[in-house]
Amino acid sequence: MAAQQKVRVAIVGLGFGAEFIPIYQNHPQAEMYAICQRSQQKLDQLGDAFGVAKRYTKFADLLADPQVDAIHINTPIPDHASQSLAGLKAGKHVACTVPMATRVEECRSIVEAQRASGKHYMMMETVVYSREFLFVKQLYERGELGRLQFLRGSHLQEMAGWPGYWEGLPPMHYATHCVSPCLCLPGKLAESVVCHGSGRISDALTSKYGSPFAVETATFKMRDSELCAEVTRSLFETARQYIESFDVYADKVSYEWPRIEHEPAVLHRGEKPERVEVPDFADRLPEGIRRFTTKGVYDAKETQHLSFLQGSGHGGSHPHLAHEFISAIAAGRSPLPDAATSANWTMTGICAHQSAMKGGERVAIPQL
């Protein structure tokens, strides 16, 4: 892509997706070209509010527009795989909110379509661009942590009241927020997984997907590594303040995520705990989008998206995600995570649920 040419982006889905409109508008290498939403009223409301002229109510019409270089999908989970595939086959770069898919076959198809198209695919995994992960990654790359020994992730969230497709969803089908940091920090892929389900949700919820478990806990082995990691997920009927966390245990220094929101993180230097304030990493971003690490697109008088009411805006990750997607396209390099990595992070959860439904059998994760 020519240095002077901006990447023309279309956002599909304008609930959570609206958070990214001003980020792309203020990114020096992007043009916020179009928005897509089935509701004409909501489409026009947001289009007028943000000054986006090109608007589509039909996804197929957006894909047919030759001016669209890249699409950023923020639609319900059941649509992720089919829309990502359609976008790649239409010759568009694709970014998609998590998870990539809910079936192994869908993950495989997206990887194959990405390779065939020559376009980029990036799963927009927030945790690996959160300030907490960037802080730990910095410590690890500087050698301060030492040799990694074990990693643990946890994502506990009550989804009552969210859109209906969430009801009864197997917890590990939405596990990338706790799987990804455990794999991304050491730069490894998951090889196999053992998972156990615990507790029960109501029959009404169980009937939606056939998954009875209130909590699923998995341990997975990493390929070409001595490391294992453990992740825990819950979605319904388990009392806990929202937490999306990871802990890193190493031989010199270990890191533990705060157990209560807004409390400081803890570094353990040997056996001595040290409370630390995690810094923001906005200075790594183009100046025009730095402010979006600490606030959403709405002012205090308007409704914030649930990502800001629960989880403090995903750790300031939104502008980092957009910047990685756009800069990868502009530079002609693979984004992090690319299609194969996104598939591995997603399939770890899918295969974990398969293991839980088989009473804890070890399940090999397909290597793409």
Side-chain angles (χ1 to χ4, degrees), residues 162-220:
W162 284 63
Y165 63 85
W166 286 98
E167 294 176 355
L169 185 75
M172 284 292 171
H173 278 194
Y174 194 80
T176 64
H177 288 334
C178 52
V179 168
S180 62
C182 297
L183 291 170
C184 191
L185 186 66
K188 300 295 182 179
L189 298 176
E191 182 176 74
S192 64
V193 62
V194 172
C195 182
H196 293 280
S198 181
R200 289 295 183 270
I201 55 175
S202 69
D203 291 343
L205 288 172
T206 299
S207 67
K208 301 294 181 72
Y209 292 93
S211 174
F213 305 119
V215 180
E216 291 182 328
T217 296
T219 55
F220 52 90

Side-chain angles (χ1 to χ4, degrees), residues 13-28:
L14 298 176
F16 175 49
E19 293 287 338
F20 289 87
I21 294 175
I23 297 174
Y24 289 121
Q25 285 177 326
N26 288 278
H27 193 287

Side-chain angles (χ1 to χ4, degrees), residues 100-155:
M100 182 187 218
T102 56
R103 296 170 60 240
V104 166
E105 295 77 11
E106 292 171 334
C107 293
R108 188 186 305 276
S109 295
I110 292 170
V111 172
E112 291 172 350
Q114 182 274 316
R115 291 170 177 166
S117 69
K119 299 297 181 179
H120 295 306
Y121 172 92
M122 178 182 172
M123 183 173 70
M124 302 295 261
E125 174 48 63
T126 56
V127 174
V128 297
Y129 288 96
S130 68
R131 60 182 65 89
E132 294 85 0
F133 183 83
L134 295 176
F135 174 63
V136 176
K137 184 180 179 183
Q138 179 176 267
L139 293 176
Y140 178 55
E141 291 176 344
R142 289 175 176 174
E144 293 184 38
L145 300 185
R147 184 174 66 255
L148 297 179
Q149 303 286 35
F150 181 68
L151 302 102
R152 177 184 290 125
S154 179
H155 181 186

Side-chain angles (χ1 to χ4, degrees), residues 298-353:
Y298 307 106
D299 64 33
K301 297 179 181 179
E302 297 182 278
T303 302
Q304 293 278 5
H305 187 267
L306 278 169
S307 67
F308 276 83
L309 297 177
Q310 293 182 327
S312 301
H314 293 135
S317 61
H318 300 170
H320 290 282
L321 287 164
H323 179 56
E324 174 66 9
F325 183 50
I326 294 300
S327 61
I329 294 171
R333 61 170 177 82
S334 294
L336 177 68
D338 60 13
T341 304
S342 300
N344 185 262
W345 294 356
T346 302
M347 291 189 300
T348 299
I350 296 171
C351 293
H353 179 63

